[in-house]
Each structure stands twice: as structure tokens, then as C-alpha cells.
């Protein structure tokens, strides 16, 4: 068990490079190879998660680390293209592939000295549209972080002192509370679509699309002093429901399933990944414990996350590729963040283990710097992807977090920070 007092406040001691010497050259060489390959594989879409904005993010951090300012113009060009979709295409607003994600990135880069865009002129045009979209999506029950209301909430959290944004977010909380399903013990749950083809609805526990992301966004809103009583009740109610979804001890390699127990035909363990499983749920407990000053939540989160560091068999944990979403680079990144925050060697060792595996996965002759993204055969199998979430841009950003002393603030887009 962790010391309950040590982690009452997470450590903030800057960002450290802790790589053993044997890793430095392979990581740096792979980053440079990705930078040289991505320019020839620019996607058609403009979004942050799988499009041009994601590549702009990589090249902005790459230029900062390498000192090669020639990439600054490429960053500006990619962002310009992301803001101006092709003729005939109506701009999307969702965080994953739309304007809320692109403009969030512009602010993030500017706030960290990696870009000099005139952000106000971009945001003022979009605010009303994004507010309307966010509330409409939430009222329809589409809270999905990547594709629905919660991702847009992150856009408004970029300026938490803005009184208009605080009103927007307070209204979002009211709608979120209104669509919650309440159990007799005070537990709260939010229904979502689990399988679009089968039109199956249920309760999703994941970070990417489900209740872990609800808890993480609520924790961010609470941390800014917005409707603290309301966020407190929603977080505690949501975590009470999540807590009841634990799998029987000793019978599974994960503590939680991907979906709530009531939404599954039979108990099944979850993969080890950013998108689904114990990592996202552990982060939800950890961040809630931090903002609510609850050592119990923090301890639950840390113990759950520490247990995940023991899961090292890629096949058993469905780690088939290197991408951030469900691959080795995502695991390396999350454990790197956790080590930076806690200085627990278990997280350091896990980050290096998955980093090593990530480097070894660059084995595809027709990939991008050797990398391809794995998809189930029903969804196309192996694909060369340049995006941030499952492709080479995200892998490059994860690798940069190991050799650069700049904190990877971009990872807030994935609710990792």
C-alpha cells in the first residue's frame, strides 16, 4: 500500500529526463526519422486527433527540442489548413476531428511559447457555435469525450477565469446532472452507445468515450472553482458507481471491465491502454482525490495504477502496436507522467519497459518510420497512420517526452495531465 499522506498533493518538480544512456540515441534517432517521414504522409482531415493539427503539434514540439526553426513554417501551414477545411466541407466542431480540438491546440501552443498565433481572433468567432454544440450534444446524452460534449468543455477550460466560459460550463454541469441515472445509494451513471452497428446502449467506463472521462473533466472544472458543490456531488456519485464495477479479485488481469458489469453478458477483463481499462479509471480516482482533497480516492487511484505496472505481457493486454490510443507509446507516456508526479520507481520502470517495446515495434517496411497502426481485421487490419492518437505523430510526441525537458502540455488533450 502507498503512504496515504505522501500523495495528499501530487509532486510538481518540473519535467525530468531520466533515460538511461542506452536509450537516448535510439529514441532521438527514431524521433528524427518520424520528423523526416511525416511530411510525406499528411492526412486530408484537419483535426487534432487524426489530422493536420496533430502533425502540427508534433512538429511544434520537435522544432523546440531540435532547435530547427525551419519547421515553424510547417507548423503554421498545417494549422492554417486545419482551420480552413476543403471547399464544400462544413467544419466539424467536435474535439477529435473538429474546430474545438484545433483551436484548443492553438491556445496550448501559444500559451507554452511554441506558436505566435493571434488566438483571440480565432476563438471569438467560434465561441457561440461551440457553446451551442456542447449543450446540444449533452442534452442528447452524447457526452463522449472525443466526439461529443466533454471535449468541447476542455476548449472552454483553456480560459477558466473567463466569466462567460464559467457560465457555459456551469450550464453544462446542470445538463450533465439532469441526464444522469441515479441508483438508490446515490451512485450516478451516464448511458452511452456501446455498439453503433448493433444499436447497443449501456454504461461505458472508459477514458476515451465513457465515465472515466466524465470524472476527469469534472475534476478539472472543480479545480477552477466552478460550481464546486455540484462537481463534488457528481464526482462522488460517479466514482461510487464505478467502484461497484470491480471484477472479482484474483480472477482477472484487470481490476475493472471495459463496460459496466450490467452492460456485459459476462465478466471480461479490459485491455491495458490509454483508451479503455484500468489506466483511465485509475487516473480518474487520482485526479478526483487531488481536487477533492480525498486521500482515500488518491490511494485507490495510485494502488490501481501501480497494479497495472505488473501487466507486462503484450498479447494478454492487447498491446499490438505502438500508437498512443491502445499501444506501447501511450503506456510509456502515461507511466512517464505518473513517475514525474509521484517519483515512484514502479512507474519509471513501466515507462521504460513500454518505451523499449515501442522502439521495437518500428518493424513495418511500408510504415511511417517503421510504424503502422493495428485495427481488427473487420476494420481494415494494419494501416500506416500519421495521426496523433494512433499514428506516428503521437508516437513521436511520446518519444519526445523522454528526451525533452519541456513538459508535454499537449498531453492534456488526452486528459493525461
Amino acid at each position: 500500500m502507498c503512504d496515504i499522506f505522501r500523495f495528499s498533493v501530487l509532486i510538481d518538480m518540473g519535467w525530468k529526463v531520466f533515460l538511461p544512456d542506452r536509450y537516448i540515441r535510439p529514441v532521438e534517432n527514431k524521433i528524427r526519422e518520424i520528423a523526416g517521414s511525416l511530411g510525406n504522409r499528411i492526412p486530408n482531415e484537419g483535426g487534432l486527433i487524426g489530422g493536420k493539427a496533430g502533425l502540427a503539434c508534433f512538429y511544434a514540439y520537435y522544432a523546440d527540442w531540435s532547435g530547427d526553426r525551419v519547421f515553424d513554417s510547417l507548423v503554421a501551414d498545417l494549422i492554417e489548413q486545419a482551420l480552413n477545411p476543403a471547399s464544400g466541407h462544413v467544419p466539424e466542431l467536435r474535439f477529435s476531428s473538429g474546430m474545438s480540438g484545433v483551436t484548443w491546440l492553438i491556445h496550448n501552443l501559444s500559451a507554452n511559447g511554441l506558436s505566435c498565433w493571434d488566438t483571440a481572433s480565432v476563438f471569438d468567432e467560434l465561441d457561440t457555435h461551440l457553446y451551442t454544440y456542447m449543450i446540444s450534444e449533452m442534452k442528447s446524452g452524447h457526452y463522449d469525450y472525443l466526439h461529443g460534449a466533454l471535449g468541447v468543455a476542455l476548449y472552454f477550460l483553456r480560459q477558466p477565469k473567463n466569466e462567460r466560459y464559467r457560465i457555459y460550463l456551469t450550464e453544462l454541469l446542470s445538463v450533465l446532472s439532469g441526464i444522469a441515472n441515479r441508483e438508490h445509494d446515490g451512485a450516478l451513471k451516464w448511458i452511452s452507445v456501446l455498439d453503433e452497428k448493433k444499436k447497443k446502449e449501456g454504461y461505458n467506463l472508459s477514458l476515451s468515450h465513457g465515465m472515466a472521462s466524465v470524472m476527469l473533466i469534472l475534476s478539472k472544472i472543480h479545480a477552477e472553482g466552478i460550481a464546486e458543490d455540484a462537481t463534488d456531488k457528481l464526482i462522488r456519485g460517479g466514482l461510487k458507481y464505478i467502484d461497484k464495477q470491480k471484477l472479482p479479485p484474483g480472477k482477472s488481469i484487470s481490476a475493472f471491465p471495459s463496460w459496466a458489469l450490467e452492460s456485459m453478458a459476462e465478466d471480461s477483463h479490459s485491455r491495458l491502454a490509454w483508451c479503455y481499462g484500468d489506466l483511465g479509471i485509475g487516473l480518474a480516482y487520482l485526479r478526483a482525490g487531488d481536487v477533492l482533497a480525498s486521500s482515500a480516492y488518491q490511494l485507490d487511484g495510485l494502488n490501481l495504477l501501480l497494479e497495472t505496472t505488473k501487466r507486462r505481457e503484450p498479447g494478454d493486454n492487447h498491446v499490438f502496436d505502438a500508437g498512443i490510443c491502445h499501444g506501447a507509446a501511450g503506456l510509456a507516456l502515461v507511466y512517464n507522467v505518473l513517475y514525474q508526479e509521484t517519483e515512484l520507481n514502479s512507474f519509471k520502470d513501466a515507462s521504460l519497459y513500454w518505451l523499449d517495446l515501442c522502439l521495437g515495434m518500428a518493424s513495418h517496411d511500408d510504415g511511417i518510420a517503421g510504424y503502422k497502426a493495428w485495427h481488427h481485421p473487420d476494420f481494415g487490419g494494419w494501416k500506416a497512420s500519421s495521426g496523433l492518437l494512433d499514428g506516428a505523430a503521437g508516437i513521436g510526441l511520446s518519444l519526445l517526452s523522454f528526451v525533452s525537458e519541456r513538459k508535454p502540455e499537449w498531453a492534456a488533450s488526452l486528459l493525461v495531465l
Side-chain angles (χ1 to χ4, degrees), residues 1 35 105 130 198:
M1 298 284 283
L105 175 68
L130 289 174
K198 297 180 180 178

Side-chain angles (χ1 to χ4, degrees), residues 251-263:
K251 294 186 178 181
S252 173
I253 63 173
S254 68
F256 289 89
S258 297
W259 298 340
L261 297 175
E262 66 180 286
S263 299

Side-chain angles (χ1 to χ4, degrees), residues 121-169:
S121 63
V122 176
F123 300 139
D124 290 347
E125 260 183 57
L126 285 170
D127 282 355
T128 302
H129 298 293
L130 289 174
Y131 157 71
T132 301
Y133 172 80
M134 178 179 74
I135 297 301
S136 174
E137 288 289 279
M138 188 61 81
K139 285 181 177 179
S140 70
H142 192 216
Y143 66 85
D144 188 298
Y145 173 66
L146 286 179
H147 306 307
L150 290 180
V152 185
L154 192 67
Y155 166 88
F156 290 116
L157 277 164
R158 79 186 195 282
Q159 283 188 334
K161 303 306 180 187
N162 183 311
E163 286 302 323
R164 182 157 48 91
Y165 291 178
R166 295 172 78 86
I167 292 171
Y168 291 170
L169 291 167

Side-chain angles (χ1 to χ4, degrees), residues 271 318 320-323 326 372-377 380-383 390:
R271 70 194 314 159
H318 303 282
F320 303 126
D321 67 11
H326 45 255
K372 296 184 83 171
W374 182 86
H375 300 270
H376 190 277
W382 288 98
K383 298 179 181 178
D390 70 353

Side-chain angles (χ1 to χ4, degrees), residues 74-202:
L74 177 57
V75 172
D77 186 49
L78 287 167
I79 290 177
E80 183 72 37
Q81 292 178 47
L83 287 171
N84 296 282
S87 177
H89 290 265
V90 178
E92 290 188 27
L93 298 177
R94 64 180 63 181
F95 191 78
S96 59
S97 56
M99 287 299 169
S100 58
V102 175
T103 48
W104 179 91
L105 175 68
I106 293 170
H107 172 82
N108 185 271
L109 294 179
S110 296
N112 290 290
L114 296 173
S115 174
C116 55
W117 273 79
D118 178 9
T119 55
S121 63
V122 176
F123 300 139
D124 290 347
E125 260 183 57
L126 285 170
D127 282 355
T128 302
H129 298 293
L130 289 174
Y131 157 71
T132 301
Y133 172 80
M134 178 179 74
I135 297 301
S136 174
E137 288 289 279
M138 188 61 81
K139 285 181 177 179
S140 70
H142 192 216
Y143 66 85
D144 188 298
Y145 173 66
L146 286 179
H147 306 307
L150 290 180
V152 185
L154 192 67
Y155 166 88
F156 290 116
L157 277 164
R158 79 186 195 282
Q159 283 188 334
K161 303 306 180 187
N162 183 311
E163 286 302 323
R164 182 157 48 91
Y165 291 178
R166 295 172 78 86
I167 292 171
Y168 291 170
L169 291 167
T170 300
E171 183 177 352
L172 178 77
L173 294 172
S174 177
V175 179
L176 180 65
S177 177
I179 67 170
N181 291 319
R182 289 167 163 78
E183 298 193 337
H184 70 278
D185 60 356
L188 300 177
K189 55 187 180 180
W190 289 269
I191 200 164
S192 60
V193 175
L194 302 178
D195 189 322
E196 289 187 8
K197 287 186 176 180
K198 297 180 180 178
K199 297 183 179 179
K200 175 182 174 64
E201 291 188 331

